[in-house]
Amino acid sequence: MVGGSRGIGAALAVGLSKAGATVTATGRSPQASGLDESVIYCSCDATKENQVKGVIQEIVERSKTLDILVYAAGIARPTQGDGQQLSGFSQIIDINLKGAYLCNLLASQQMAAGSGGSIINVTSIGAYQGFPNNPAYSASKGGLRIMSKSLAMDFANDGIRINNLAPGYIRTEMTEGSYKDPFRRQKRVERMITPRWGQPDDLVGATIFLASDASSYITGQDILVDGGWTAKGLS
Ligand SMILES: NC(=O)c1ccc[n+]([C@@H]2O[C@H](COP(=O)([O-])OP(=O)(O)OC[C@H]3O[C@@H](n4cnc5c(N)ncnc54)[C@H](OP(=O)(O)O)[C@@H]3O)[C@@H](O)[C@H]2O)c1
């Protein structure tokens, strides 16, 4: 679980563990929140090749195999400046897209050496529609969405499936600003068919499905878990 130190990734890590997987979660933070003791946590920057290789090696030494990769690491805003300046734009692309490519590539090499696997890339409704004031985020998620489909073709002969999981508005640290603002919070709900913000646990079922053999004939696809936000026409 890349990006499992909190929020959606932490919930998915615990959910996969409860479903029977041996899960290692990663993030840059020295410590995670929201995990239980069944999940192993390692500090790792998803954009650093040596660190990612090190975690994969630890997983293989411990479990002999790597079967599932979930790439949930992501930032919506850069640490300096904004996503419309080149440095901010690049930071978002580095983590949300290039880090995903690095992890997909290294994990797939390990999966190919075993008996294949399932990769789930966490995209966003921002991969489907334009949003104001943050072109880097939409570009990163739109790029990730199509990258998954392309890699699904490239890795198919190694028995690897790759799918996208696209959350809508889920209450986490990333969305706390818009959730706490009553106007923005309500504006988002008005476009949902299921009229409530999602919780990270709302994504667990689709993740277990995509990770398991129950989805063995599904690859290169997107599952949107957005309360119908992208499906709704008139409010
Ligand atoms: N919340 C939503 O409504 C929503 C909607 C659509 C899509 N998403 C996507 O869902 C994913 C999870 O978001 P969230 O809402 O759970 O946000 P969050 O609470 O801010 O969590 C983001 C996670 O990404 C990790 N991360 C960031 N940069 C990293 C790096 N370089 N290397 C490793 N891990 C890194 C963070 O860990 P560290 O800080 O410890 O590195 C953290 O675990 C993101 O990809 C986000 O774009 C969220």
Side-chain angles (χ1 to χ4, degrees):
M1 178 63 55
V2 182
S5 64
R6 61 175 182 274
I8 290 172
L12 301 185
V14 172
L16 284 168
S17 170
K18 283 186 178 153
T22 303
V23 182
T24 299
T26 65
R28 293 162 303 175
S29 308
Q31 282 178 336
S33 59
L35 296 177
D36 66 20
E37 62 291 338
S38 71
V39 176
I40 300 150
Y41 180 73
C42 297
S43 183
C44 169
D45 185 332
T47 66
K48 303 272 190 300
E49 185 169 357
N50 284 344
Q51 293 186 25
V52 177
K53 277 184 173 164
V55 172
I56 291 177
Q57 198 177 333
E58 278 177 37
I59 291 170
V60 173
E61 278 166 14
R62 192 184 304 118
S63 300
K64 310 281 175 253
T65 176
L66 174 64
D67 309 311
I68 302 163
L69 167 72
V70 180
Y71 193 88
I75 57 168
R77 303 279 167 195
T79 45
Q80 287 179 340
D82 63 40
Q84 309 214 44
Q85 292 170 329
L86 192 57
S87 61
F89 194 100
S90 297
Q91 194 188 6
I92 291 177
I93 296 290
D94 278 349
I95 295 175
N96 295 9
L97 184 56
K98 284 171 71 178
Y101 179 64
L102 175 68
C103 293
N104 277 231
L105 197 64
L106 295 177
S108 68
Q109 287 164 0
Q110 189 56 52
M111 289 172 179
S115 50
S118 172
I119 296 178
I120 301 161
N121 288 319
V122 178
T123 58
S124 166
I125 53 177
Y128 299 85
Q129 292 177 335
F131 286 80
N133 305 319
N134 200 355
Y137 186 76
S138 291
S140 70
K141 295 299 186 176
L144 179 57
R145 177 180 169 224
I146 297 298
M147 188 186 85
S148 298
K149 294 171 191 289
S150 303
L151 292 180
M153 298 178 72
D154 295 342
F155 299 159
N157 287 342
D158 292 317
I160 299 166
R161 299 181 297 108
I162 308 187
N163 292 290
N164 293 314
L165 180 73
Y169 287 99
I170 310 295
R171 192 176 173 195
T172 65
E173 200 173 303
M174 183 179 278
T175 51
E176 202 55 11
S178 40
Y179 186 82
K180 281 198 168 142
D181 175 339
F183 177 76
R184 287 158 72 201
R185 180 169 70 211
Q186 182 55 25
K187 265 291 194 218
R188 283 147 181 75
V189 170
E190 281 166 12
R191 270 200 63 159
M192 295 169 193
I193 296 174
T194 304
R196 65 168 176 84
W197 278 59
Q199 297 292 335
D201 280 348
D202 286 319
L203 298 157
V204 168
T207 303
I208 293 171
F209 171 66
L210 289 175
S212 75
D213 287 345
S215 60
S216 60
Y217 196 51
I218 298 178
T219 191
Q221 302 303 314
D222 307 344
I223 295 188
L224 286 97
V225 184
D226 66 352
W229 197 91
T230 45
K232 192 166 178 179
L234 286 175
S235 309

